[in-house]
Amino acid sequence: NLQELLPVFPRETARSERMAAITWTQTQEESEDRMHSVVAKGASHGEWVNIQERCFVAWVNKHLAKSKADPTIRIESLSELNTGVRLIQLVEALSQRSLGRYSATSKMRIHHLSNVDKALQFLIKDQGVTLVNIGASDVVDNHRDIVLGLIWTLIQKYELRLSRAELLAWARDMISSTSNITIHNFGSDWNTGKALCALVDACKPGLVDADALGPDSLANATLGMKLAEEHLGVTPVISPDDMVSPHVDELSVLTYIASINAVHPAGPADPTRPPSFLKGMFVEVVRGPESSIEQRTGDGNDRSLTYVPSDGRGGYEVRIYWHGKLIPGLPVLVGN
C-alpha cells in the first residue's frame, strides 16, 4: 500500500472557524515594541486582504529574482507555492543555501507534500524560524490564511531589521526632518503619498518638496515609489493604487517601508544640505571652528551672497549651491 509508505506530514489542528489574512497586534505579555502576527477571524475581510496578498506576491518575486538557479522565475499568486517548488526556490534565495534535490516537475500530491515539508523543515531546523500551526498540507491545499502567515513569518525573518515601533519611529524622524508631515501608523497616514515622498527625500535630500505636493494622492505615491526605485534602488512591493486605498493593509506598507530602511538605516541626512527646490544661493559649511556656524541662504534670483563666519575667525571650508545645485570646484576655504 503506497499510502503506508508515505511520510507523515505535520498539519494544523482542526479549526471550528476558517480564518483569513493576518494583521499585527500586541498583547499585554509582550513588550511594547515587539511585533508579531495573528490570524484575523472571519471568512472575508474585504479589499485589504487582496492588497496584502498582492504585496506578499511582489515581495516573493523580489527575492525570487535573486535565485541562483533561475532569476527569471515569478509567481502570479501565492497559490503557486502549492507544489513546493517555488517555495523551495524562495527559501534558497532568502537563505543563500541549497536545499538539495527535490521533485521539480512531478504533479503528484505526495511529491508536493514532500517539497513543502523539505522547505518548512529547513526553515525550522537550519534557519531557526518558528512556525506555528503551519503544515505541508496547508500550503499544498492553498489555505490562504496559513500561506499569508507563512510569508509574513519569512518577511519578519529576512526583511525586518527593526520592530514595528522602532521602524515607525525611524520613519517619523526621517519624515519630520524634511517636511511638516507627521505619521502615527502604517496605514491611513500614508494614503496621500506625501509621507512616502518626504521619506525618500530624507534619504536622499533634494529630490522632492513633499510639503508642496498637490492633492492628487495617486500621483504623489507614484512619484515617491519612482524616486525610491531610481535613487535608492528599492523595488516597490505595494502599488501606488494600493497605498492610497482607504483599505490599505498596514503590513503591506510596513513591508515596503522596511525595504527603504534596509538601504538607508541611518537617521535623517544632514539637514543643512539644500534641497533641489531651494531658490537662490546657499552656503553650506563643510568644516570650521567649533563656534557658532551659520548656513546662509540668498533670496530668489539674487546671485550675490555675502557670508561671514559668525566668530569672524575664518578657516571654514564651504560649498556653494545655486538653486539647489552644487557649484563645481568646491569646497573652498573662507578666511585663514
Side-chain angles (χ1 to χ4, degrees), residues 60-314:
V60 168
N61 285 333
K62 180 179 79 169
H63 289 283
L64 284 177
K66 303 172 185 177
S67 171
K68 294 180 180 179
D70 183 1
T72 66
I73 52 179
R74 298 290 185 275
I75 63 172
E76 298 293 331
S77 167
L78 293 181
S79 63
E80 295 177 46
L81 300 177
N82 71 336
T83 68
V85 174
R86 294 292 181 256
L87 180 60
I88 287 177
Q89 292 168 335
L90 172 64
V91 172
E92 288 182 333
L94 291 170
S95 66
Q96 293 298 294
R97 296 276 302 279
S98 172
L99 271 65
R101 297 178 61 184
Y102 57 91
S103 301
T105 59
S106 175
K107 296 183 179 180
M108 296 180 62
R109 176 181 173 82
I110 175 180
H111 294 145
H112 297 170
L113 288 168
S114 178
N115 288 344
V116 173
D117 189 62
K118 187 182 191 74
L120 298 184
Q121 293 305 314
F122 175 81
L123 288 170
I124 294 170
K125 296 177 181 179
D126 189 271
Q127 299 292 290
V129 176
T130 301
L131 299 176
V132 180
N133 286 339
I134 299 177
S137 60
D138 292 311
V139 179
V140 173
D141 294 335
N142 290 321
H143 290 164
R144 190 188 194 194
D145 55 313
I146 303 300
V147 177
L148 285 169
L150 172 60
I151 300 304
W152 174 240
T153 299
L154 296 181
I155 290 172
Q156 292 182 91
K157 169 68 176 179
Y158 296 103
E159 187 81 42
L160 302 188
R161 300 167 182 264
L162 304 174
S163 70
R164 177 189 180 277
E166 291 169 337
L167 184 63
L168 186 62
W170 170 83
R172 184 186 298 119
D173 289 345
M174 293 289 284
I175 290 169
S176 63
S177 75
T178 190
S179 72
N180 294 316
I181 299 166
T182 303
I183 60 165
H184 303 282
N185 57 49
F186 285 109
S188 58
D189 285 352
W190 299 81
N191 278 159
T192 66
K194 294 182 179 181
L196 174 60
C197 288
L199 177 59
V200 175
D201 184 66
C203 293
K204 194 172 181 65
L207 294 179
V208 61
D209 181 1
D211 288 329
L213 292 174
D216 190 334
S217 298
L218 183 58
N220 296 340
T222 300
L223 173 62
M225 291 185 189
K226 180 175 181 290
L227 293 175
E229 187 164 21
E230 291 180 353
H231 296 276
L232 303 179
V234 176
T235 302
V237 294
I238 183 174
S239 70
D241 296 90
D242 286 343
M243 176 168 278
V244 304
S245 168
H247 309 292
V248 65
D249 169 57
E250 290 208 8
L251 290 189
S252 300
V253 175
L254 186 154
T255 299
Y256 179 52
I257 301 307
S259 65
I260 296 178
N261 171 261
V263 300
H264 195 288
D270 184 354
T272 65
R273 183 63 54 84
S276 59
F277 50 83
L278 183 67
K279 303 302 181 184
M281 189 172 290
F282 183 94
V283 173
E284 175 194 20
V285 175
V286 180
R287 183 176 61 84
E290 295 181 356
S291 58
S292 175
I293 298 175
E294 299 177 339
Q295 276 71 43
R296 293 290 303 277
T297 305
D299 297 323
N301 291 315
D302 184 3
R303 291 178 177 269
S304 63
L305 174 65
T306 301
Y307 173 71
V308 179
S310 57
D311 65 353
R313 289 185 296 163

